[in-house]
Amino acid sequence: NFKIDKERSTITAAAGLSFENILRKIVPAGFFLPVSPGTRNVTVGGAIASDVHGKNHHVDGSFGNHVKRLLLIDSKGELRDLNSSEESSYEDKALFLNTIGGMGLTGIIVEATFVTVSEDEIDTDVPLILIDAVPAKLGFATVPCIVGQLLHQGSLPTNTHVPLVFL
């Protein structure tokens, strides 16, 4: 379904793959998505087409800031391999940038490569009690939980990623 490049901290995934399916595999491996929208049901292609933001947009920007490469079927039906590198033509760079947040108007996203956040980039030495002293990265997290047969939802104010050892 998708490939993790641990050396580059990137994921290459099909556009129809949901964030939920990606998170189930990357979190135990020590990675996290660079941007987490309010739902886990968003797909990679949908996240790019609408350029979703998360609770950390004031620090890290929207999902499009982390996209490195796109495979796109353009309006002529041609498969285009796009990125914004200096080697890309002006037309390819423009198509790449206009696809991010373009709501599908530039073509059909087939696959994307984007940067992840690795465990190495998360400060795991911060005691949980002192987490409010860390420079703000995330606004808050929504926490669903089941009590008996009832689904409850609460908010957990936080300022950064919670180290894996606390989960």
Side-chain angles (χ1 to χ4, degrees), residues 45-111:
I48 295 166
S50 58
D51 198 13
V52 297
H53 65 85
K55 308 295 185 267
N56 59 335
H57 66 277
H58 61 289
V59 176
D60 295 322
S62 59
F63 192 73
N65 292 68
H66 307 279
V67 176
K68 297 297 176 196
R69 179 184 152 271
L70 294 171
L71 275 181
L72 181 83
I73 299 173
D74 68 12
S75 61
K76 297 175 187 171
E78 295 175 11
L79 186 63
R80 307 277 297 270
D81 194 342
L82 305 170
N83 62 60
S84 63
S85 70
E86 296 203 11
E87 295 81 35
S88 291
S89 69
Y90 175 80
E91 180 185 339
D92 283 354
K93 283 183 199 176
L95 188 56
F96 175 84
L97 295 171
N98 286 321
T99 299
I100 297 169
M103 301 303 288
L105 295 176
T106 60
I108 300 168
I109 300 169
V110 177
E111 180 183 88

Short mmCIF file of all heavy atoms in Angstrom, two decimals, residues 45-111:
data_model
loop_
_atom_site.label_atom_id
_atom_site.label_comp_id
_atom_site.label_asym_id
_atom_site.label_seq_id
_atom_site.Cartn_x
_atom_site.Cartn_y
_atom_site.Cartn_z
N GLY A 45 -4.56 11.68 -1.23
CA GLY A 45 -4.96 12.55 -2.34
C GLY A 45 -5.87 13.69 -1.90
O GLY A 45 -5.72 14.83 -2.34
N GLY A 46 -6.81 13.39 -1.01
CA GLY A 46 -7.71 14.42 -0.49
C GLY A 46 -6.97 15.46 0.34
O GLY A 46 -7.27 16.65 0.28
N ALA A 47 -5.98 15.00 1.11
CA ALA A 47 -5.18 15.91 1.93
C ALA A 47 -4.40 16.88 1.06
O ALA A 47 -4.26 18.06 1.39
CB ALA A 47 -4.24 15.13 2.83
N ILE A 48 -3.92 16.38 -0.08
CA ILE A 48 -3.16 17.24 -1.00
C ILE A 48 -4.10 18.16 -1.76
O ILE A 48 -3.86 19.37 -1.86
CB ILE A 48 -2.33 16.38 -1.98
CG1 ILE A 48 -1.26 15.61 -1.19
CG2 ILE A 48 -1.71 17.24 -3.07
CD1 ILE A 48 -0.60 14.50 -1.98
N ALA A 49 -5.19 17.61 -2.29
CA ALA A 49 -6.13 18.42 -3.09
C ALA A 49 -6.74 19.56 -2.29
O ALA A 49 -6.96 20.65 -2.82
CB ALA A 49 -7.23 17.53 -3.65
N SER A 50 -6.96 19.34 -0.99
CA SER A 50 -7.53 20.41 -0.17
C SER A 50 -6.48 21.08 0.72
O SER A 50 -6.81 21.99 1.46
CB SER A 50 -8.67 19.87 0.68
OG SER A 50 -8.22 18.81 1.50
N ASP A 51 -5.24 20.62 0.61
CA ASP A 51 -4.12 21.16 1.39
C ASP A 51 -4.50 21.33 2.86
O ASP A 51 -4.46 22.42 3.41
CB ASP A 51 -3.63 22.48 0.79
CG ASP A 51 -2.23 22.84 1.27
OD1 ASP A 51 -1.55 21.98 1.85
OD2 ASP A 51 -1.81 23.99 1.05
N VAL A 52 -4.84 20.21 3.49
CA VAL A 52 -5.33 20.23 4.87
C VAL A 52 -4.30 20.79 5.83
O VAL A 52 -3.10 20.78 5.58
CB VAL A 52 -5.76 18.81 5.35
CG1 VAL A 52 -6.91 18.29 4.54
CG2 VAL A 52 -4.60 17.85 5.37
N HIS A 53 -4.80 21.29 6.95
CA HIS A 53 -3.93 21.77 8.01
C HIS A 53 -4.26 21.00 9.28
O HIS A 53 -5.27 20.31 9.37
CB HIS A 53 -4.10 23.28 8.24
CG HIS A 53 -5.47 23.64 8.74
ND1 HIS A 53 -5.79 23.60 10.07
CD2 HIS A 53 -6.59 24.03 8.09
CE1 HIS A 53 -7.06 23.96 10.23
NE2 HIS A 53 -7.56 24.23 9.04
N GLY A 54 -3.38 21.08 10.23
CA GLY A 54 -3.59 20.41 11.51
C GLY A 54 -3.44 21.39 12.65
O GLY A 54 -3.47 22.60 12.44
N LYS A 55 -3.26 20.86 13.82
CA LYS A 55 -3.11 21.70 15.02
C LYS A 55 -1.75 22.38 15.07
O LYS A 55 -1.53 23.24 15.90
CB LYS A 55 -3.31 20.85 16.28
CG LYS A 55 -4.58 20.02 16.30
CD LYS A 55 -5.82 20.90 16.32
CE LYS A 55 -7.08 20.07 16.46
NZ LYS A 55 -7.69 19.71 15.21
N ASN A 56 -0.84 21.98 14.20
CA ASN A 56 0.51 22.55 14.20
C ASN A 56 0.77 23.46 13.00
O ASN A 56 1.91 23.75 12.68
CB ASN A 56 1.54 21.42 14.22
CG ASN A 56 1.41 20.49 13.02
OD1 ASN A 56 0.34 20.37 12.43
ND2 ASN A 56 2.47 19.80 12.67
N HIS A 57 -0.28 23.93 12.33
CA HIS A 57 -0.09 24.72 11.11
C HIS A 57 0.65 26.03 11.35
O HIS A 57 1.33 26.53 10.46
CB HIS A 57 -1.43 24.98 10.40
CG HIS A 57 -2.37 25.84 11.18
ND1 HIS A 57 -3.18 25.32 12.16
CD2 HIS A 57 -2.61 27.16 11.13
CE1 HIS A 57 -3.89 26.30 12.69
NE2 HIS A 57 -3.56 27.42 12.09
N HIS A 58 0.54 26.57 12.54
CA HIS A 58 1.25 27.83 12.84
C HIS A 58 2.76 27.63 12.91
O HIS A 58 3.51 28.59 12.82
CB HIS A 58 0.72 28.41 14.15
CG HIS A 58 0.92 27.52 15.34
ND1 HIS A 58 0.20 26.35 15.51
CD2 HIS A 58 1.77 27.59 16.38
CE1 HIS A 58 0.60 25.76 16.62
NE2 HIS A 58 1.55 26.50 17.17
N VAL A 59 3.20 26.36 13.02
CA VAL A 59 4.63 26.05 13.08
C VAL A 59 5.10 25.38 11.78
O VAL A 59 6.10 25.77 11.20
CB VAL A 59 4.95 25.13 14.28
CG1 VAL A 59 6.41 24.73 14.29
CG2 VAL A 59 4.57 25.80 15.59
N ASP A 60 4.35 24.36 11.33
CA ASP A 60 4.80 23.52 10.22
C ASP A 60 4.04 23.73 8.91
O ASP A 60 4.36 23.09 7.91
CB ASP A 60 4.69 22.04 10.61
CG ASP A 60 5.64 21.69 11.75
OD1 ASP A 60 6.76 22.22 11.76
OD2 ASP A 60 5.26 20.90 12.63
N GLY A 61 3.04 24.59 8.90
CA GLY A 61 2.29 24.82 7.68
C GLY A 61 1.29 23.71 7.40
O GLY A 61 1.00 22.88 8.24
N SER A 62 0.78 23.69 6.19
CA SER A 62 -0.23 22.70 5.80
C SER A 62 0.43 21.47 5.19
O SER A 62 1.65 21.42 5.01
CB SER A 62 -1.21 23.35 4.82
OG SER A 62 -0.50 23.81 3.69
N PHE A 63 -0.38 20.47 4.85
CA PHE A 63 0.15 19.21 4.34
C PHE A 63 0.98 19.42 3.07
O PHE A 63 2.00 18.76 2.87
CB PHE A 63 -0.99 18.21 4.08
CG PHE A 63 -0.52 16.82 3.83
CD1 PHE A 63 -0.02 16.05 4.87
CD2 PHE A 63 -0.56 16.27 2.57
CE1 PHE A 63 0.44 14.75 4.65
CE2 PHE A 63 -0.11 14.98 2.33
CZ PHE A 63 0.39 14.21 3.38
N GLY A 64 0.56 20.34 2.23
CA GLY A 64 1.28 20.61 0.99
C GLY A 64 2.73 21.02 1.18
O GLY A 64 3.57 20.77 0.31
N ASN A 65 3.04 21.60 2.32
CA ASN A 65 4.43 21.99 2.62
C ASN A 65 5.35 20.78 2.73
O ASN A 65 6.57 20.93 2.68
CB ASN A 65 4.51 22.77 3.94
CG ASN A 65 3.85 24.10 3.85
OD1 ASN A 65 2.64 24.18 3.72
ND2 ASN A 65 4.61 25.16 3.93
N HIS A 66 4.79 19.60 2.90
CA HIS A 66 5.57 18.40 3.15
C HIS A 66 5.56 17.42 1.97
O HIS A 66 6.20 16.38 2.04
CB HIS A 66 5.07 17.71 4.42
CG HIS A 66 5.03 18.66 5.58
ND1 HIS A 66 6.14 18.97 6.32
CD2 HIS A 66 4.02 19.43 6.07
CE1 HIS A 66 5.82 19.85 7.24
NE2 HIS A 66 4.54 20.15 7.10
N VAL A 67 4.85 17.78 0.90
CA VAL A 67 4.78 16.92 -0.29
C VAL A 67 6.01 17.17 -1.15
O VAL A 67 6.35 18.31 -1.47
CB VAL A 67 3.49 17.19 -1.10
CG1 VAL A 67 3.47 16.37 -2.38
CG2 VAL A 67 2.26 16.90 -0.26
N LYS A 68 6.69 16.09 -1.53
CA LYS A 68 7.91 16.18 -2.32
C LYS A 68 7.70 15.78 -3.78
O LYS A 68 8.41 16.26 -4.66
CB LYS A 68 9.02 15.30 -1.72
CG LYS A 68 9.43 15.72 -0.33
CD LYS A 68 10.01 17.11 -0.36
CE LYS A 68 10.35 17.62 1.01
NZ LYS A 68 10.55 19.05 1.02
N ARG A 69 6.74 14.90 -4.03
CA ARG A 69 6.56 14.37 -5.38
C ARG A 69 5.11 13.93 -5.56
O ARG A 69 4.47 13.46 -4.62
CB ARG A 69 7.48 13.16 -5.57
CG ARG A 69 7.39 12.49 -6.91
CD ARG A 69 8.29 11.24 -6.95
NE ARG A 69 7.76 10.28 -7.87
CZ ARG A 69 6.88 9.32 -7.57
NH1 ARG A 69 6.45 9.18 -6.34
NH2 ARG A 69 6.45 8.50 -8.49
N LEU A 70 4.60 14.09 -6.77
CA LEU A 70 3.24 13.66 -7.12
C LEU A 70 3.25 12.90 -8.44
O LEU A 70 3.96 13.28 -9.36
CB LEU A 70 2.32 14.87 -7.32
CG LEU A 70 1.99 15.75 -6.14
CD1 LEU A 70 1.25 17.00 -6.61
CD2 LEU A 70 1.15 14.99 -5.15
N LEU A 71 2.44 11.86 -8.53
CA LEU A 71 2.10 11.25 -9.81
C LEU A 71 0.69 11.72 -10.11
O LEU A 71 -0.21 11.53 -9.29
CB LEU A 71 2.14 9.73 -9.74
CG LEU A 71 3.47 9.06 -9.94
CD1 LEU A 71 3.31 7.54 -9.87
CD2 LEU A 71 4.12 9.44 -11.25
N LEU A 72 0.50 12.34 -11.25
CA LEU A 72 -0.78 12.97 -11.58
C LEU A 72 -1.19 12.58 -12.99
O LEU A 72 -0.37 12.60 -13.91
CB LEU A 72 -0.62 14.49 -11.49
CG LEU A 72 -1.83 15.35 -11.78
CD1 LEU A 72 -2.70 15.46 -10.54
CD2 LEU A 72 -1.41 16.74 -12.24
N ILE A 73 -2.46 12.23 -13.17
CA ILE A 73 -3.01 12.07 -14.51
C ILE A 73 -3.59 13.43 -14.88
O ILE A 73 -4.53 13.91 -14.25
CB ILE A 73 -4.10 10.99 -14.57
CG1 ILE A 73 -3.52 9.63 -14.16
CG2 ILE A 73 -4.71 10.92 -15.98
CD1 ILE A 73 -4.54 8.52 -14.03
N ASP A 74 -3.00 14.08 -15.87
CA ASP A 74 -3.42 15.43 -16.23
C ASP A 74 -4.66 15.43 -17.13
O ASP A 74 -5.21 14.37 -17.44
CB ASP A 74 -2.26 16.23 -16.84
CG ASP A 74 -1.83 15.72 -18.21
OD1 ASP A 74 -2.54 14.90 -18.83
OD2 ASP A 74 -0.76 16.16 -18.67
N SER A 75 -5.07 16.59 -17.55
CA SER A 75 -6.31 16.73 -18.34
C SER A 75 -6.21 16.09 -19.72
O SER A 75 -7.22 15.83 -20.36
CB SER A 75 -6.67 18.21 -18.49
OG SER A 75 -5.62 18.90 -19.15
N LYS A 76 -5.00 15.80 -20.17
CA LYS A 76 -4.81 15.11 -21.45
C LYS A 76 -4.76 13.59 -21.27
O LYS A 76 -4.57 12.86 -22.24
CB LYS A 76 -3.52 15.59 -22.12
CG LYS A 76 -3.52 17.06 -22.47
CD LYS A 76 -2.16 17.47 -23.00
CE LYS A 76 -2.12 18.98 -23.18
NZ LYS A 76 -0.77 19.45 -23.49
N GLY A 77 -4.86 13.14 -20.02
CA GLY A 77 -4.80 11.72 -19.73
C GLY A 77 -3.39 11.19 -19.61
O GLY A 77 -3.18 9.98 -19.55
N GLU A 78 -2.41 12.09 -19.55
CA GLU A 78 -1.00 11.68 -19.44
C GLU A 78 -0.59 11.59 -17.97
O GLU A 78 -0.97 12.42 -17.16
CB GLU A 78 -0.11 12.69 -20.17
CG GLU A 78 -0.35 12.74 -21.66
CD GLU A 78 0.46 13.82 -22.36
OE1 GLU A 78 1.36 14.40 -21.72
OE2 GLU A 78 0.18 14.07 -23.54
N LEU A 79 0.21 10.56 -17.68
CA LEU A 79 0.74 10.39 -16.33
C LEU A 79 1.97 11.28 -16.19
O LEU A 79 2.93 11.17 -16.94
CB LEU A 79 1.12 8.93 -16.08
CG LEU A 79 1.57 8.58 -14.67
CD1 LEU A 79 0.45 8.82 -13.66
CD2 LEU A 79 2.03 7.13 -14.61
N ARG A 80 1.92 12.19 -15.21
CA ARG A 80 3.01 13.15 -15.00
C ARG A 80 3.66 12.90 -13.65
O ARG A 80 2.99 12.75 -12.64
CB ARG A 80 2.45 14.58 -15.02
CG ARG A 80 1.61 14.95 -16.24
CD ARG A 80 2.44 15.35 -17.42
NE ARG A 80 3.23 16.53 -17.20
CZ ARG A 80 2.82 17.77 -17.45
NH1 ARG A 80 1.62 18.00 -17.93
NH2 ARG A 80 3.65 18.78 -17.23
N ASP A 81 4.98 12.84 -13.63
CA ASP A 81 5.76 12.70 -12.40
C ASP A 81 6.26 14.10 -12.05
O ASP A 81 7.11 14.65 -12.73
CB ASP A 81 6.94 11.74 -12.65
CG ASP A 81 7.60 11.28 -11.37
OD1 ASP A 81 7.41 11.93 -10.31
OD2 ASP A 81 8.32 10.27 -11.42
N LEU A 82 5.70 14.67 -10.98
CA LEU A 82 5.92 16.08 -10.68
C LEU A 82 6.61 16.31 -9.35
O LEU A 82 6.39 15.58 -8.38
CB LEU A 82 4.58 16.83 -10.64
CG LEU A 82 3.69 16.71 -11.87
CD1 LEU A 82 2.32 17.29 -11.57
CD2 LEU A 82 4.34 17.41 -13.05
N ASN A 83 7.43 17.34 -9.31
CA ASN A 83 8.02 17.83 -8.06
C ASN A 83 8.41 19.28 -8.29
O ASN A 83 8.25 19.81 -9.38
CB ASN A 83 9.21 16.97 -7.61
CG ASN A 83 10.33 16.98 -8.61
OD1 ASN A 83 10.89 18.03 -8.91
ND2 ASN A 83 10.68 15.81 -9.14
N SER A 84 8.90 19.92 -7.26
CA SER A 84 9.26 21.34 -7.40
C SER A 84 10.77 21.55 -7.37
O SER A 84 11.23 22.64 -7.06
CB SER A 84 8.58 22.16 -6.31
OG SER A 84 9.04 21.75 -5.05
N SER A 85 11.53 20.51 -7.71
CA SER A 85 12.99 20.64 -7.68
C SER A 85 13.47 21.57 -8.78
O SER A 85 12.75 21.88 -9.73
CB SER A 85 13.65 19.27 -7.83
OG SER A 85 13.48 18.80 -9.15
N GLU A 86 14.71 21.98 -8.67
CA GLU A 86 15.29 22.90 -9.66
C GLU A 86 15.41 22.25 -11.03
O GLU A 86 15.45 22.94 -12.04
CB GLU A 86 16.65 23.39 -9.17
CG GLU A 86 16.51 24.22 -7.91
CD GLU A 86 17.68 25.16 -7.73
OE1 GLU A 86 18.49 25.33 -8.64
OE2 GLU A 86 17.74 25.75 -6.64
N GLU A 87 15.49 20.90 -11.07
CA GLU A 87 15.60 20.20 -12.34
C GLU A 87 14.28 20.16 -13.10
O GLU A 87 14.24 19.90 -14.30
CB GLU A 87 16.08 18.76 -12.13
CG GLU A 87 17.49 18.64 -11.57
CD GLU A 87 17.55 18.83 -10.05
OE1 GLU A 87 16.62 18.41 -9.34
OE2 GLU A 87 18.53 19.43 -9.59
N SER A 88 13.16 20.42 -12.43
CA SER A 88 11.85 20.38 -13.07
C SER A 88 11.66 21.60 -13.97
O SER A 88 12.16 22.68 -13.69
CB SER A 88 10.73 20.38 -12.02
OG SER A 88 10.72 19.18 -11.32
N SER A 89 10.89 21.39 -15.02
CA SER A 89 10.57 22.51 -15.91
C SER A 89 9.62 23.47 -15.20
O SER A 89 8.98 23.11 -14.21
CB SER A 89 9.91 21.99 -17.19
OG SER A 89 8.62 21.48 -16.89
N TYR A 90 9.54 24.67 -15.72
CA TYR A 90 8.63 25.68 -15.15
C TYR A 90 7.20 25.14 -15.16
O TYR A 90 6.47 25.28 -14.18
CB TYR A 90 8.72 26.98 -15.94
CG TYR A 90 7.73 28.02 -15.49
CD1 TYR A 90 8.00 28.79 -14.37
CD2 TYR A 90 6.53 28.20 -16.17
CE1 TYR A 90 7.09 29.74 -13.92
CE2 TYR A 90 5.61 29.14 -15.73
CZ TYR A 90 5.90 29.90 -14.61
OH TYR A 90 4.98 30.82 -14.17
N GLU A 91 6.80 24.50 -16.25
CA GLU A 91 5.44 23.97 -16.38
C GLU A 91 5.17 22.88 -15.33
O GLU A 91 4.11 22.87 -14.71
CB GLU A 91 5.24 23.40 -17.78
CG GLU A 91 3.86 22.82 -18.01
CD GLU A 91 3.71 22.15 -19.37
OE1 GLU A 91 4.50 22.45 -20.29
OE2 GLU A 91 2.79 21.32 -19.49
N ASP A 92 6.14 21.98 -15.13
CA ASP A 92 5.96 20.92 -14.13
C ASP A 92 5.89 21.47 -12.72
O ASP A 92 5.10 21.02 -11.90
CB ASP A 92 7.08 19.88 -14.24
CG ASP A 92 6.89 18.94 -15.41
OD1 ASP A 92 5.84 18.99 -16.08
OD2 ASP A 92 7.82 18.14 -15.67
N LYS A 93 6.74 22.45 -12.42
CA LYS A 93 6.70 23.08 -11.09
C LYS A 93 5.35 23.74 -10.85
O LYS A 93 4.76 23.61 -9.78
CB LYS A 93 7.80 24.13 -10.95
CG LYS A 93 9.17 23.58 -10.72
CD LYS A 93 10.14 24.74 -10.53
CE LYS A 93 11.55 24.28 -10.75
NZ LYS A 93 12.51 25.37 -10.69
N ALA A 94 4.87 24.45 -11.86
CA ALA A 94 3.58 25.14 -11.74
C ALA A 94 2.45 24.14 -11.53
O ALA A 94 1.57 24.35 -10.69
CB ALA A 94 3.33 26.00 -12.97
N LEU A 95 2.47 23.04 -12.28
CA LEU A 95 1.43 22.03 -12.15
C LEU A 95 1.49 21.37 -10.77
O LEU A 95 0.46 21.15 -10.13
CB LEU A 95 1.56 20.98 -13.26
CG LEU A 95 0.44 19.95 -13.38
CD1 LEU A 95 -0.92 20.62 -13.54
CD2 LEU A 95 0.72 19.02 -14.55
N PHE A 96 2.70 21.10 -10.29
CA PHE A 96 2.89 20.54 -8.95
C PHE A 96 2.29 21.48 -7.90
O PHE A 96 1.48 21.07 -7.07
CB PHE A 96 4.38 20.32 -8.70
CG PHE A 96 4.71 19.85 -7.30
CD1 PHE A 96 4.65 18.51 -6.97
CD2 PHE A 96 5.11 20.76 -6.33
CE1 PHE A 96 4.97 18.07 -5.69
CE2 PHE A 96 5.43 20.33 -5.04
CZ PHE A 96 5.36 18.99 -4.73
N LEU A 97 2.68 22.74 -7.94
CA LEU A 97 2.23 23.71 -6.94
C LEU A 97 0.73 23.99 -7.04
O LEU A 97 0.07 24.21 -6.02
CB LEU A 97 3.04 25.00 -7.05
CG LEU A 97 4.52 24.85 -6.70
CD1 LEU A 97 5.29 26.12 -7.04
CD2 LEU A 97 4.70 24.49 -5.23
N ASN A 98 0.18 24.00 -8.25
CA ASN A 98 -1.25 24.25 -8.42
C ASN A 98 -2.11 23.04 -8.06
O ASN A 98 -3.30 23.18 -7.79
CB ASN A 98 -1.55 24.69 -9.86
CG ASN A 98 -1.09 26.10 -10.10
OD1 ASN A 98 -1.22 26.97 -9.24
ND2 ASN A 98 -0.52 26.34 -11.26
N THR A 99 -1.51 21.85 -8.03
CA THR A 99 -2.24 20.65 -7.62
C THR A 99 -2.46 20.65 -6.11
O THR A 99 -3.51 20.23 -5.62
CB THR A 99 -1.49 19.38 -8.07
OG1 THR A 99 -1.39 19.39 -9.50
CG2 THR A 99 -2.19 18.12 -7.62
N ILE A 100 -1.49 21.15 -5.37
CA ILE A 100 -1.61 21.25 -3.91
C ILE A 100 -2.62 22.34 -3.60
O ILE A 100 -2.42 23.51 -3.89
CB ILE A 100 -0.25 21.55 -3.26
CG1 ILE A 100 0.72 20.39 -3.53
CG2 ILE A 100 -0.41 21.80 -1.76
CD1 ILE A 100 2.15 20.67 -3.16
N GLY A 101 -3.75 21.93 -3.03
CA GLY A 101 -4.84 22.87 -2.75
C GLY A 101 -5.70 23.17 -3.96
O GLY A 101 -6.57 24.03 -3.90
N GLY A 102 -5.48 22.46 -5.07
CA GLY A 102 -6.21 22.73 -6.31
C GLY A 102 -7.56 22.04 -6.42
O GLY A 102 -8.23 22.15 -7.44
N MET A 103 -7.97 21.33 -5.39
CA MET A 103 -9.27 20.67 -5.32
C MET A 103 -9.57 19.77 -6.51
O MET A 103 -10.71 19.62 -6.93
CB MET A 103 -10.39 21.71 -5.14
CG MET A 103 -10.24 22.57 -3.89
SD MET A 103 -10.15 21.61 -2.35
CE MET A 103 -11.83 21.07 -2.19
N GLY A 104 -8.53 19.18 -7.09
CA GLY A 104 -8.71 18.23 -8.18
C GLY A 104 -8.81 18.84 -9.56
O GLY A 104 -9.01 18.13 -10.54
N LEU A 105 -8.66 20.15 -9.67
CA LEU A 105 -8.84 20.82 -10.95
C LEU A 105 -7.67 20.62 -11.92
O LEU A 105 -7.82 20.86 -13.11
CB LEU A 105 -9.08 22.32 -10.74
CG LEU A 105 -10.36 22.67 -9.99
CD1 LEU A 105 -10.44 24.17 -9.74
CD2 LEU A 105 -11.58 22.19 -10.77
N THR A 106 -6.53 20.16 -11.43
CA THR A 106 -5.37 19.97 -12.31
C THR A 106 -5.27 18.54 -12.83
O THR A 106 -4.47 18.27 -13.72
CB THR A 106 -4.06 20.31 -11.57
OG1 THR A 106 -3.94 19.46 -10.44
CG2 THR A 106 -4.05 21.77 -11.16
N GLY A 107 -6.04 17.62 -12.26
CA GLY A 107 -5.99 16.23 -12.67
C GLY A 107 -6.27 15.30 -11.50
O GLY A 107 -6.74 15.72 -10.45
N ILE A 108 -5.94 14.03 -11.70
CA ILE A 108 -6.18 13.01 -10.68
C ILE A 108 -4.85 12.61 -10.05
O ILE A 108 -3.94 12.14 -10.75
CB ILE A 108 -6.86 11.77 -11.30
CG1 ILE A 108 -8.20 12.17 -11.93
CG2 ILE A 108 -7.03 10.66 -10.26
CD1 ILE A 108 -8.80 11.09 -12.81
N ILE A 109 -4.75 12.80 -8.75
CA ILE A 109 -3.55 12.41 -8.03
C ILE A 109 -3.57 10.89 -7.90
O ILE A 109 -4.56 10.32 -7.43
CB ILE A 109 -3.47 13.08 -6.65
CG1 ILE A 109 -3.46 14.61 -6.79
CG2 ILE A 109 -2.25 12.58 -5.87
CD1 ILE A 109 -3.66 15.35 -5.48
N VAL A 110 -2.50 10.24 -8.30
CA VAL A 110 -2.39 8.79 -8.24
C VAL A 110 -1.55 8.36 -7.04
O VAL A 110 -1.89 7.40 -6.34
CB VAL A 110 -1.77 8.23 -9.54
CG1 VAL A 110 -1.57 6.73 -9.46
CG2 VAL A 110 -2.61 8.61 -10.75
N GLU A 111 -0.46 9.08 -6.80
CA GLU A 111 0.49 8.71 -5.76
C GLU A 111 1.23 9.96 -5.30
O GLU A 111 1.35 10.92 -6.06
CB GLU A 111 1.48 7.69 -6.34
CG GLU A 111 2.54 7.19 -5.39
CD GLU A 111 3.50 6.25 -6.09
OE1 GLU A 111 4.50 6.74 -6.66
OE2 GLU A 111 3.24 5.03 -6.07
#
